[in-house]
Amino acid sequence: MEDTYPLIDINKIDKSFVTQEQDNLVLSDISLSIRKGEFVTILGQSGCGKSTLLNIIGGFEIPTKGQILLDGKQVIEPGRHCVMLFQDYGLLPWRSVLKNVELGLEPEKLGSKEKHERAMEYIRLVGLEDNIGQFPHQLSGGMKQRVAIARALAMKPELILMDEPFAALDTFNRYNLQDELVRLQQKEGITIVLVTHDIDEAVYLSDRIFIMDPHPGRIRRELTIDISKPRDRSNSDFQYFRKLIFEEFHIDSRQEPLEFNI
Ligand SMILES: Nc1ncnc2c1ncn2[C@@H]1O[C@H](COP(=O)(O)OP(=O)(O)OP(=O)(O)O)[C@@H](O)[C@H]1O
Ligand SMILES: [Mg+2]
């Protein structure tokens, strides 16, 4: 069945970093598979190996043991099949909004008119059509992250990898962008792997959450969040999953702030 076909298949991965005769095992025996169109979150405390795992999925790091398949092919280097979205947006300061979005399209053999049209299509989707001539320093954090999202979507990748993309944003911007991301992801049918240590963000966005343990990083628990989207943060189902995860981390779910970073 097409909807159960795994886009990513991670098979018994270990990752060690060797530094000055020390062999630091960062990830141990990670196995998981992700279907096309799924929104999957990797959730865990600081230093548990989330970014390392994301980098392996993107082909930026090679596992020490085990293998990772994307669409049945072993991932050994980064490719245009997947785009990474970072917390610091990754925009070029000397390029306008439009030119930053077009940047992602440069390796494609598109004429300048086509390139412009494709970039504008995604700039409109993220609501920045009135800002195309502005430069990154003239934009708010939320707007910059919108440009980065438009650039990623315009490349029409199979997979978007996100490493805490909303961490630098205030609550309002974060909630708005999370809503937009859900809408765009459903519209475009993209597969997204998000790394975060924000429990609410994970429950709000994910179809499945992988909870990691640290030292070495392992998958402790997999949770399927079977609530229809868009979700309501005050809904009892939402609260149920939120509480469940807080309890996994032995945190009182009534505590504020909602983020943790142990
Ligand atoms: N290139 C590297 N060389 C050596 N050690 C590394 C390297 N990259 C990561 N590590 C180590 O691997 C461990 C996991 O790091 P990683 O960045 O994956 O954690 P994380 O879960 O993303 O943390 P955070 O939430 O703080 O971003 C850390 O102990 C880190 O020091
Ligand atoms: Mg990280």
Side-chain angles (χ1 to χ4, degrees):
M1 257 163 64
E2 223 219 309
D3 63 349
T4 55
Y5 180 75
L7 177 65
I8 304 163
D9 197 5
I10 299 177
N11 211 332
K12 293 184 185 303
I13 275 183
D14 283 4
K15 177 68 183 175
S16 306
F17 288 109
V18 181
T19 45
Q20 291 159 350
E21 293 156 31
Q22 253 202 328
D23 199 345
N24 182 16
L25 181 65
V26 170
L27 295 175
S28 168
D29 200 26
I30 305 270
S31 290
L32 58 96
S33 59
I34 298 170
R35 291 182 291 275
K36 278 185 194 202
E38 252 194 312
F39 198 126
V40 163
T41 295
I42 297 161
L43 179 71
Q45 67 189 55
S46 183
C48 74
K50 303 180 297 295
S51 296
T52 305
L53 180 55
L54 205 65
N55 283 331
I56 290 176
I57 296 173
F60 301 101
E61 295 275 5
I62 297 297
T64 314
K65 241 204 220 156
Q67 64 169 3
I68 160 153
L69 303 177
L70 190 126
D71 248 341
K73 286 188 236 70
Q74 194 164 355
V75 176
I76 45 168
E77 59 185 3
R80 285 189 62 74
H81 55 271
C82 102
V83 180
M84 187 83 120
L85 211 68
F86 297 100
Q87 184 182 340
D88 64 0
Y89 324 119
L91 303 180
L92 296 181
W94 59 87
R95 294 184 73 137
S96 66
V97 166
L98 177 63
K99 293 290 173 199
N100 261 290
V101 176
E102 285 186 353
L103 181 71
L105 302 173
E106 275 172 11
E108 293 185 34
K109 304 257 175 299
L110 297 175
S112 58
K113 185 163 172 275
E114 268 176 298
K115 200 160 71 176
H116 178 82
E117 278 170 7
R118 173 102 70 92
M120 283 307 296
E121 180 188 340
Y122 287 90
I123 287 171
R124 266 185 230 108
L125 273 181
V126 298
L128 286 178
E129 61 271 30
D130 294 334
N131 307 85
I132 55 169
Q134 288 186 307
F135 290 85
H137 74 272
Q138 298 171 302
L139 306 173
S140 70
M143 290 159 91
K144 282 189 246 195
Q145 196 55 285
R146 279 197 172 85
V147 179
I149 290 172
R151 184 172 62 190
L153 291 172
M155 292 165 73
K156 298 185 188 278
E158 276 185 279
L159 175 65
I160 301 185
L161 305 175
M162 301 187 165
D163 199 347
E164 301 189 33
F166 308 123
L169 306 179
D170 66 46
T171 311
F172 302 107
N173 253 309
R174 190 183 314 175
Y175 282 6
N176 277 333
L177 261 187
Q178 286 171 353
D179 283 341
E180 267 175 50
L181 189 65
V182 167
R183 185 174 58 78
L184 293 174
Q185 194 246 348
Q186 290 189 318
K187 181 169 178 286
E188 306 273 316
I190 306 168
T191 311
I192 296 183
V193 183
L194 170 81
V195 154
T196 187
H197 45 62
D198 182 332
I199 292 173
D200 280 41
E201 182 166 287
V203 177
Y204 192 71
L205 295 173
S206 317
D207 300 316
R208 272 190 303 153
I209 300 176
F210 291 96
I211 298 175
M212 285 184 71
D213 262 347
H215 313 303
R218 282 151 294 155
I219 306 286
R220 168 155 97 216
R221 185 160 180 189
E222 178 190 330
L223 274 179
T224 299
I225 313 293
D226 50 358
I227 313 173
S228 63
K229 295 181 191 173
R231 293 175 179 163
D232 176 354
R233 291 182 179 82
S234 60
N235 180 287
S236 59
D237 290 341
F238 188 95
Q239 294 300 325
Y240 164 80
F241 282 111
R242 182 177 181 271
K243 188 161 181 288
L244 196 77
I245 299 172
F246 270 94
E247 282 167 3
E248 277 286 321
F249 289 103
H250 308 291
I251 305 169
D252 183 345
S253 62
R254 291 162 304 181
Q255 275 175 10
E256 296 293 338
L258 303 177
E259 268 178 49
F260 72 102
N261 196 350
I262 306 161

